[in-house]
Amino acid sequence: MQGVAFLDRGLFTTYTPNIPEGPEYECEGDNRALPSFQMNLSALLEALQLFGATEVAARAAKADAEPYRSNLRNYRPDAFSHQTLGMPGTCCLLYDEVGSPLSVILEENDVKTRCDMTTYSPESPDDIPFHRDDLVFRIIMQGKLLLDGLSELAPMAPPRVTIQATPNAPYLSLTSSGPLGSASVDFSNGRNLLETFSVRERWSQSFKFDLIKSASEAMRIASKVSFRGDGQGVLSLQFMVGVDGGPVSFLDFRFVPYVPQEHEEESEEEEDL
């Protein structure tokens, strides 16, 4: 699994990249590469929640205690709201040079706090290849509809979920089975469900349910999701997330299909006998 967030520069009041000179920043043509670094995500999130952290924790505890709250559906405010981040003031991000810390400066009611986050050289893992020139299917739908479909499968505690797209009915289906039973959700090809529907041929792949479930927050806050699968079986979920009065940003998740191990294949053959 791989996740990437694309944030539009319009989300920031000011955005000033000062690209340094040097051979390490040279790219083909006239463009230069922006410095990249790696850091602890949990520490960054805690720093952003420094103001109002107590209220955020109290709201989260109240939501967790909700008896009708499932492990996929939740009733928290949007990810980009002040209530979630716990910071009604302003936030400034500074990165001076390669190897320097990322400075997070928070200001609220004349109180200013600066957090310097340690940065590391990026590991540069290989991207999961997704062949846009070899798309087997492309479906655009509302993000909450996909979340509702996965929520129906979650009570079965499935280890995997099978996603199938076909040119004809059932068009798009999510199927899973677990120790508590099996379930299947079908989406019909209608404008009120599938805004865009293009399937070249039958496409069916299985994925670890927990990995797909990890994108549930993006499903909840997204207005639309582009559901795509290529010829090698890689699944791409690209979510369009809008902010009131601002531009849209995109969250892109890629998933490698599940490959059964030898002992799992033997168990399945024994069950068939």
Side-chain angles (χ1 to χ4, degrees):
M1 174 186 172
Q2 179 183 23
V4 180
F6 302 93
L7 304 180
D8 191 279
R9 64 181 300 169
L11 291 173
F12 306 96
T13 304
T14 59
Y15 178 80
T16 308
N18 297 316
I19 309 175
E21 301 285 347
E24 65 269 28
Y25 303 109
E26 294 179 358
C27 295
E28 297 182 359
D30 297 331
N31 297 323
R32 284 180 291 165
L34 288 173
S36 60
F37 56 88
Q38 185 172 308
M39 62 183 304
N40 187 290
L41 180 59
S42 298
L44 175 61
L45 293 177
E46 287 188 11
L48 292 175
Q49 296 177 359
L50 186 61
F51 289 132
T54 303
E55 290 78 3
V56 171
R59 285 192 295 268
K62 183 178 179 181
D64 291 337
E66 169 61 44
Y68 298 105
R69 179 179 181 270
S70 72
N71 59 346
L72 278 175
R73 287 193 181 97
N74 56 63
Y75 307 99
R76 292 178 294 168
D78 288 346
F80 298 110
S81 68
H82 292 164
Q83 290 78 12
T84 296
L85 294 178
M87 44 175 294
T90 60
C91 173
C92 179
L93 303 176
L94 297 176
Y95 183 67
D96 292 331
E97 59 184 0
V98 176
S100 66
L102 175 71
S103 298
V104 181
I105 303 174
L106 307 172
E107 185 173 359
E108 179 187 8
N109 299 329
D110 297 329
V111 177
K112 183 180 293 186
T113 302
R114 175 171 179 150
C115 303
D116 291 332
M117 318 296 295
T118 302
T119 61
Y120 308 91
S121 299
E123 296 179 356
S124 300
D126 295 334
D127 291 339
I128 295 177
F130 183 72
H131 298 164
R132 293 181 175 84
D133 297 331
D134 186 25
L135 289 183
V136 178
F137 78 92
R138 179 173 181 264
I139 297 172
I140 295 179
M141 59 190 299
Q142 295 182 37
K144 64 179 182 180
L145 296 180
L146 178 58
L147 177 61
D148 288 342
L150 291 176
S151 299
E152 298 298 329
L153 305 181
M156 302 296 106
R160 297 186 295 275
V161 56
T162 299
I163 300 175
Q164 178 177 288
T166 56
N168 303 312
Y171 303 107
L172 175 64
S173 64
L174 310 176
T175 306
S176 67
S177 60
L180 302 179
S182 61
S184 178
V185 177
D186 297 335
F187 296 90
S188 62
N189 184 13
R191 291 288 297 177
N192 58 334
L193 287 177
L194 309 181
E195 298 182 13
T196 298
F197 181 81
S198 175
V199 179
R200 186 179 70 196
E201 59 188 26
R202 182 181 178 276
W203 188 94
S204 179
Q205 296 290 345
S206 296
F207 303 88
K208 289 189 175 181
F209 185 80
D210 286 343
L211 294 183
I212 301 295
K213 188 179 68 175
S214 63
S216 59
E217 180 65 16
M219 300 176 197
R220 192 186 63 80
I221 65 176
S223 56
K224 295 182 181 180
V225 54
S226 177
F227 213 103
R228 299 175 299 174
D230 66 5
Q232 61 181 349
V234 174
L235 174 67
S236 169
L237 298 178
Q238 190 174 74
F239 301 93
M240 184 173 70
V241 180
V243 180
D244 291 341
V248 298
S249 297
F250 293 91
L251 305 174
D252 184 81
F253 293 85
R254 296 179 183 180
F255 303 91
V256 174
Y258 182 81
V259 178
Q261 302 299 319
E262 292 184 0
H263 67 278
E264 293 178 328
E265 294 178 350
E266 292 176 357
S267 298
E268 292 178 357
E269 292 178 357
E270 292 177 357
E271 290 179 359
D272 293 339
L273 294 176

